[in-house]
Structures are given as structure tokens and as C-alpha cells.
């Protein structure tokens, strides 16, 4: 995932729908408290700089998984776009051993954007392609320039006590458009693939399998125009009435409230 960009204003009819939903919901200014051990995992992945996610976003996805577990909602987990594995580790710590987590990523350079991505995205990708992008700390080079990302992600899982092969975790290398396949119920999906085409692909393939009470989190909805437009296009139809939405914690949280 590249460095974050400016926020986007809420202008489309779908975004107006979100605004109306937010007025009806009582959403705390920060995510509710979470299990102290999971809080420690969040703090550690931030300190070790293996995630771009803010502490607020990490706590939000942990709280969602705790709620999903408490309510006994069926399904496995998906993460699309894992960077250096920090958020995937947090999800693994939160999910329970009986659930499976499938991680889809190129595990190399981010793919180029397409014609439905805005100028902000194309400017960002041009900088990445020129080798000028910086990493999570703003000092090291962008992680996508490395050729050992899968090994580094596996090593990080091991260091947190979650060996990939023993923790119900599968790493799938490639573009999500080529690799993402869903054949069972999903209780949670963290989508962090930035651009229009991969976000659209994730929504089209995951949402039909999302359990009632389950959640999809679009990390980049307020950060990159491609993700923003992909969600607007996908949900700007009667399907939106099957879900609740809020973007209180910097990412868009989508929860299924009704069966399709």
C-alpha cells in the first residue's frame, strides 16, 4: 500500500447516503476498548513499522472482529493487500484459531492504476515507479522495492507466535483480479488495494458471500480516488439498503444488515 493522500469530499448520492446513515448512528469518537493483549499487538506492529494503519484503524478492525466473534457470525476472513503484514497479524490474533485467513497480495511492486483512477493516484504511482517513494517511516525506501516481501511477512508472523502454516493463514501471490476466489461465507474482509480495479474486484467477489453481521473494511476510501469511486459505483444502487456504513475511524466500514 502506498503512502496515504488527501481526504475526499462526500459528493455522490451513495456518499450522501452514508452521511445520512452516520447521522442516525451513535458512533464513538474513537473505537471502543479492546482486549489488552490485542491492544499490545496493535502497538507492536505500529512500533515495528510493519503496517501503514493508524492505531485508530487497527483498533477498529480488532473491535469489529471481537464483535463478530461474540455474536457467533459464521465465516472466514480475507485480507487483500497486506503490505508488510501488520494488519494481517492483528487479524490473526483477533480471529480465533478455527477461522481461516486468506491473504491476497502481489508481494512485490504495486500494480499500475487504470483509467478510472484519478490524477492523485497516477501522480503517486509515477513517483513509486521512478523509485522515489519512501516507506512507512518516511525514511526507508518503499517496501515494494524489495524482493523478499513474502519471506519477511512469514518471518513477522513467526515472531508474533503465529506461524503461517499453523495459524489458519494462507498467502496467495498475484493480482487479486487473477487470484481472488471466494467459495464460502466471509465474516470479515480488510480491503487495502488502493486503486479502482482491484477494489471493484474485491467488492464484486466478496460482498455476495458476506454473512449477515459481517464486515468489509475499505482502508483507502478516504485516501485515494480509485477506492473511493469503486465503492461509490458498486454501492450506488438498491444493494446499499442491505448494509450499514460509516467512515468515523478513517476507513469505510460496511456491515451487512440484511440477507440479499
Amino acid at each position: 500500500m502506498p503512502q496515504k493522500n488527501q481526504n475526499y469530499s462526500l459528493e455522490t448520492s451513495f456518499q450522501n447516503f452514508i452521511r445520512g446513515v452516520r447521522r442516525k448512528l451513535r458512533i464513538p469518537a474513537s473505537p471502543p476498548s479492546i482486549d489488552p493483549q490485542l491492544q499490545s499487538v496493535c502497538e507492536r506492529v505500529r512500533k515495528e513499522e510493519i503496517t501503514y494503519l493508524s492505531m485508530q484503524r487497527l483498533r477498529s478492525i480488532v473491535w469489529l472482529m471481537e464483535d463478530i466473534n461474540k455474536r457467533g457470525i459464521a465465516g472466514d476472513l480475507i485480507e487483500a493487500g497486506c503490505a508488510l503484514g501488520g494488519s494481517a497479524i492483528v487479524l490473526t490474533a483477533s480471529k480465533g484459531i478455527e477461522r481461516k485467513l486468506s491473504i491476497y497480495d502481489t508481494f512485490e511492486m504495486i500494480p499500475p492504476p487504470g483509467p478510472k483512477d484519478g490524477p492523485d493516484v497516477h501522480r503517486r504511482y509515477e513517483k513509486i515507479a521512478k523509485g522515489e517513494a519512501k516507506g512507512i517511516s518516511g525514511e526507508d525506501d518503499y517496501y515494494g522495492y524489495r524482493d523478499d516481501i513474502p519471506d519477511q511477512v512469514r518471518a513477522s508472523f513467526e515472531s508474533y507466535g503465529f506461524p503461517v502454516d499453523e495459524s489458519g493463514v494462507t498467502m496467495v501471490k498475484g493480482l487479486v483480479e487473477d487470484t481472488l476466489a471466494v467459495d464460502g461465507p466471509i465474516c470479515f474482509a480488510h480491503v487495502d488495494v488502493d486503486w479502482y480495479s482491484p477494489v471493484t474486484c474485491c467488492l464484486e467477489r466478496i460482498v455476495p458471500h458476506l454473512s449477515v453481521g459481517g464486515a468489509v473494511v475499505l482502508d483507502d476510501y478516504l485516501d485515494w480516488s480509485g477506492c473511493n469511486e469503486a465503492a461509490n459505483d458498486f454501492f450506488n444502487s438498491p444493494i446499499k439498503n442491505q448494509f450499514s456504513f460509516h467512515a468515523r475511524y478513517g476507513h469505510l466500514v460496511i456491515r451487512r444488515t440484511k440477507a440479499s
Side-chain angles (χ1 to χ4, degrees):
M1 181 181 72
Q3 183 178 336
K4 296 302 182 185
N5 196 21
Q6 65 192 28
N7 288 347
Y8 284 84
S9 61
L10 303 178
E11 296 176 349
T12 71
S13 58
F14 167 64
Q15 290 168 320
N16 288 333
F17 176 81
I18 292 177
R19 187 185 289 117
V21 169
R22 290 177 65 186
R23 283 197 294 266
K24 296 175 184 177
L25 295 176
R26 295 182 178 180
I27 302 169
S30 61
S33 60
I34 59 176
D35 180 275
Q37 290 184 329
L38 297 175
Q39 173 75 19
S40 295
V41 175
C42 293
E43 292 171 355
R44 183 177 166 189
V45 298
R46 289 277 301 163
K47 182 178 180 180
E48 295 181 354
E49 297 182 347
I50 57 172
T51 182
Y52 283 91
L53 272 64
S54 66
M55 180 59 70
Q56 190 175 50
R57 294 190 193 191
L58 289 170
R59 288 182 60 197
S60 173
I61 64 175
V62 170
W63 183 86
L64 283 166
M65 271 312 306
E66 288 184 321
D67 184 64
I68 285 167
N69 287 335
K70 185 184 302 182
R71 294 167 62 185
I73 295 167
D76 292 321
L77 289 77
I78 288 174
E79 178 164 81
C82 81
L84 293 174
S87 56
I89 290 169
V90 168
L91 285 173
T92 301
S94 307
K95 70 182 178 64
I97 193 64
E98 72 283 355
R99 297 191 194 267
K100 298 178 182 178
L101 168 63
S102 298
I103 304 171
Y104 296 87
D105 200 294
T106 62
F107 295 104
E108 56 185 29
M109 271 283 287
I110 190 169
K116 292 191 176 182
D117 291 290
D120 62 306
V121 171
H122 288 274
R123 286 193 299 268
R124 175 59 183 163
Y125 183 76
E126 182 179 4
K127 186 173 183 178
I128 293 172
K130 288 180 177 178
E132 298 173 352
K134 296 299 180 181
I136 294 171
S137 68
E139 297 177 1
D140 296 333
D141 286 341
Y142 172 55
Y143 76 95
Y145 300 144
R146 306 175 192 175
D147 59 8
D148 64 344
I149 298 173
D151 292 338
Q152 184 171 350
V153 171
R154 285 180 173 273
S156 293
F157 267 87
E158 185 85 30
S159 73
Y160 281 75
F162 301 113
V164 166
D165 297 332
E166 301 171 20
S167 303
V169 176
T170 302
M171 294 168 55
V172 183
K173 188 177 189 301
L175 300 174
V176 292
E177 294 93 331
D178 298 332
T179 61
L180 180 57
V182 184
D183 58 6
I186 299 298
C187 69
F188 187 90
H190 183 232
V191 177
D192 193 1
V193 285
D194 306 349
W195 311 155
Y196 184 95
S197 176
V199 172
T200 298
C201 172
C202 289
L203 291 173
E204 290 177 344
R205 299 183 191 180
I206 294 171
V207 168
H209 297 274
L210 188 66
S211 299
V212 174
V216 174
V217 173
L218 296 185
D219 188 69
D220 304 294
Y221 183 74
L222 297 177
D223 298 311
W224 297 111
S225 61
C227 177
N228 186 278
E229 289 302 313
N232 297 343
D233 288 349
F234 183 84
F235 286 107
N236 198 22
S237 73
I239 191 178
K240 65 180 177 286
N241 296 312
Q242 300 171 16
F243 302 88
S244 67
F245 304 85
H246 77 79
R248 186 65 184 265
Y249 307 132
H251 50 206
L252 181 64
V253 176
I254 304 158
R255 294 200 77 167
R256 184 180 283 281
T257 56
K258 303 176 184 176
S260 57

